[in-house]
């Protein structure tokens, strides 16, 4: 049975907030079993690591469609395996209407979760006197197993610093301390349906190494799809809500083509080569044409502006060809209607789309919106009082 594609996942996420008929119609169109598999995978992806002394089985039964049943095996190494079927040894059986589970995993309406599901304890049947500790302690461990599974439905994402460490991104703790800035700018958008372009997957040449930031964004934005772009083939990291794209961020034609196919994006993060020319090329291709109004473009590692090995300048003031130079030009662009040369006429182009800049050390957030409001009226004198 094939997996849901990105477009289908986006459709399901959209339907999660729709009325019951539309949601059930979407589940039926996509195939209940394919939807269920996505839900189970998403729950396991999001779940907190469990702390149990032996493997416990937890069963999920879905109703509202043909009967579907899945087993979560919660293991002492903290991992959760999943498979179709049922288990005689389940400590708990969770029953959910499939539409309600879609709402709880991908929707934005925050009803108290226990309202929508039934949980039956089967602890006594599954109690393993030989493997278990005392009866009461084992009951408590089995609860941990079920809590770990349900955390994949209920638990809000930990903060980005925690996620950066969990998934081995370098955005917090040692090399960089970026995540509080990301939280400041992005937390309000966590439950939106987003398309994120993450330039730079990490992990060097390996097909399935790196990807820390893509995983971090997948966990942080529960309704987003993430495109990870890299010069190396990273297709081993493709998974639900994550698609990798192989190419050079300095290749204008390729960049424009893939952005036309997969955009427009709501958030673009340039954590790629950090070569100044590349940073400027990607911004030039993506910001005006492929970032949605209301979107944010992020540039990391601007220290390379001061590093000749990356095309930067060996000076205290970064020149116009650098990424810091780009930011300085954008400060002027932001004020394009105030330039005395333009006399209140919009320059058009990038300038009319830059609505804000937030610059931190090695990190810049460029907000996109409509930057045309006429500027300071002409009747206001253009010289100050002597
Ligand atoms: C710093 S790592 C990305 C780390 C990742 N974003 C994270 O936070 O976990 C930079 C990545 O950019 C990729 N890269 C280097 N040059 C590139 C280019 N010209 N175009 C696209 N990606 C490039 C590298 O292969 C590397 O995987």
């Amino acid at each position: 049975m094939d997996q849901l594609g990105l477009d289908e996942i986006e459709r399901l996420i959209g339907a999660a907030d729709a009325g019951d008929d539309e949601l059930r119609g979407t589940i039926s169109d996509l195939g209940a079993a394919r939807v269920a598999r996505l839900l189970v995978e998403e729950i396991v992806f999001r779940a907190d690591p469990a702390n149990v002394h032996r493997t416990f089985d937890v069963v999920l039964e879905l109703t509202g469609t043909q009967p579907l049943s899945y087993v979560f095996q919660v293991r002492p190494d903290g991992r959760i395996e999943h498979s179709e079927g049922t288990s005689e040894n389940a400590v708990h059986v969770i029953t959910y209407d499939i539409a309600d589970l879609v709402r709880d995993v991908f929707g934005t309406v925050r009803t108290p979760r226990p309202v929508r599901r039934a949980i039956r304890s089967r602890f006594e049947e599954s109690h393993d006197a030989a493997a278990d500790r005392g009866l009461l302690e084992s009951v408590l461990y089995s609860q941990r197993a079920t809590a770990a599974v349900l955390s994949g439905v209920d638990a809000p994402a930990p903060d980005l610093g925690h996620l950066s460490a969990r998934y081995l991104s370098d955005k917090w703790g040692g090399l960089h301390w970026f995540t509080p800035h990301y939280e400041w700018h992005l937390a309000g958008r966590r439950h939106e349906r987003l398309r994120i372009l993450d330039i730079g997957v990490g992990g060097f040449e390996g097909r399935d190494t790196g990807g820390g930031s893509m995983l971090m964004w997948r966990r942080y934005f529960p309704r987003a799809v993430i495109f990870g772009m890299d010069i190396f083939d990273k297709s081993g990291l493709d998974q639900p809500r994550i698609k990798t794209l192989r190419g050079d961020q300095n290749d204008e034609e390729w960049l424009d083509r893939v952005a036309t196919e997969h955009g427009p994006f709501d958030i673009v993060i340039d954590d790629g080569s950090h070569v100044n020319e590349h940073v400027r090329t990607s911004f030039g291709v993506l910001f005006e044409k492929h970032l949605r109004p209301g979107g944010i473009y992020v540039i990391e590692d601007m220290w390379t502006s001061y590093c000749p090995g990356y095309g930067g300048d060996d000076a205290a003031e970064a020149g116009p060809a650098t990424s810091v130079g780009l930011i300085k030009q954008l400060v002027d662009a932001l004020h394009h209607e105030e330039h005395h040369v333009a006399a209140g006429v919009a320059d058009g182009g990038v300038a009319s789309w830059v609505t804000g800049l937030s610059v931190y050390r090695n990190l810049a957030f460029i907000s996109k919106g409509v930057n045309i409001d006429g500027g300071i009226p002409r009747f206001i004198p253009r010289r100050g009082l002597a």
Side-chain angles (χ1 to χ4, degrees):
M1 189 198 326
D2 65 329
Q3 290 190 339
L4 293 180
L6 276 192
D7 291 350
E8 293 173 309
I9 294 174
E10 283 189 315
R11 186 174 160 207
L12 184 70
I13 291 172
D17 276 347
D20 218 47
D21 288 349
E22 186 178 334
L23 175 54
R24 286 183 197 282
T26 304
I27 293 169
S28 159
D29 286 354
L30 298 175
R34 295 169 81 220
V35 169
R37 266 183 37 170
L38 174 75
L39 292 169
V40 166
E41 194 280 342
E42 185 75 33
I43 290 168
V44 170
F45 171 73
R46 293 185 194 178
D48 296 334
N51 180 2
V52 290
H53 68 286
R54 70 164 170 94
T55 299
F56 288 98
D57 291 355
V58 177
V59 163
L60 171 68
E61 290 178 350
L62 295 176
T63 60
T65 171
Q66 79 262 31
L68 293 166
S69 178
Y70 298 86
V71 183
F72 298 95
Q73 282 198 321
V74 184
R75 299 156 52 113
D77 62 7
R79 287 188 303 128
I80 301 178
E81 305 283 354
H82 60 89
S83 56
E84 267 180 72
T86 189
S87 165
E88 290 295 300
N89 302 319
V91 283
H92 283 113
V93 177
I94 303 163
T95 309
Y96 244 115
D97 180 292
I98 189 167
D100 285 341
L101 186 56
V102 172
R103 289 191 198 289
D104 282 352
V105 171
F106 290 124
T108 56
V109 180
R110 292 277 165 283
T111 53
R113 278 351 198 292
V115 166
R116 306 213 230 223
R117 63 187 176 224
I119 302 184
R120 296 193 311 277
S121 171
R122 295 191 64 256
F123 181 79
E124 280 172 60
E125 294 93 310
S126 67
H127 178 54
D128 180 344
D132 277 345
R133 303 169 179 198
L135 187 63
L136 183 59
E137 198 181 343
S138 297
V139 171
L140 298 178
Y141 271 100
S142 78
Q143 287 175 4
R144 277 188 182 173
T146 306
V149 172
L150 287 175
S151 72
V153 182
D154 298 346
D159 71 66
L160 273 177
H162 181 110
L163 291 178
S164 176
R166 177 186 293 183
Y167 296 119
L168 298 181
S169 171
D170 65 1
K171 297 194 193 305
W172 189 86
L175 277 186
H176 304 301
W177 304 96
F178 292 157
T179 56
H181 302 306
Y182 274 106
E183 295 261 7
W184 179 258
H185 289 274
L186 301 180
R189 308 197 62 179
R190 279 201 48 223
H191 294 286
E192 288 181 29
R193 294 168 63 190
L194 301 170
R195 283 189 173 206
I196 298 172
L197 176 63
D198 196 13
I199 304 175
V201 170
F204 306 100
E205 287 94 338
R207 242 183 101 251
D208 56 3
T209 53
S213 53
M214 298 192 303
L215 295 168
M216 183 176 110
W217 299 129
R218 183 180 172 196
R219 181 67 182 94
Y220 190 70
F221 293 108
R223 311 181 76 222
V225 293
I226 294 108
F227 297 91
M229 180 179 283
D230 206 280
I231 194 95
F232 295 117
D233 173 15
K234 291 285 167 188
S235 54
L237 297 170
D238 285 0
Q239 55 179 263
R241 298 205 288 122
I242 289 182
K243 178 170 179 55
T244 58
L245 308 166
R246 181 185 189 179
D248 182 353
Q249 72 169 122
N250 200 37
D251 178 342
E252 293 185 13
E253 193 270 326
W254 176 81
L255 205 52
D256 185 50
R257 186 154 37 83
V258 293
T260 302
E261 186 181 348
H262 300 295
F265 304 107
D266 302 281
I267 300 169
V268 175
I269 296 156
D270 184 349
D271 185 22
S273 71
H274 308 309
V275 172
N276 285 277
E277 180 198 342
H278 300 185
V279 173
R280 296 187 62 109
T281 300
S282 299
F283 181 83
V285 173
L286 297 171
F287 182 79
E288 188 180 351
K289 188 169 169 195
H290 298 292
L291 183 67
R292 281 205 180 103
I296 294 207
Y297 196 104
V298 187
I299 299 176
E300 293 193 5
D301 286 78
M302 295 192 302
W303 58 272
T304 60
S305 296
Y306 308 94
C307 189
Y310 286 83
D313 296 313
D314 192 9
E317 230 177 86
T322 65
S323 48
V324 167
L326 170 67
I327 300 301
K328 292 193 237 182
Q329 287 146 17
L330 293 177
V331 175
D332 284 333
L334 185 61
H335 297 92
H336 71 115
E337 289 186 312
E338 324 300 352
H339 301 171
H340 66 280
V341 285
V345 179
D347 284 351
V350 169
S352 56
W353 289 111
V354 178
T355 54
L357 291 154
S358 299
V359 186
Y360 306 93
R361 186 197 293 200
N362 286 324
L363 182 67
F365 292 77
I366 305 150
S367 303
K368 178 170 178 178
V370 179
N371 181 24
I372 298 174
D373 67 4
I376 300 299
R378 301 308 300 164
F379 65 80
I380 306 279
R382 258 38 189 180
R383 57 190 159 79
L385 296 177

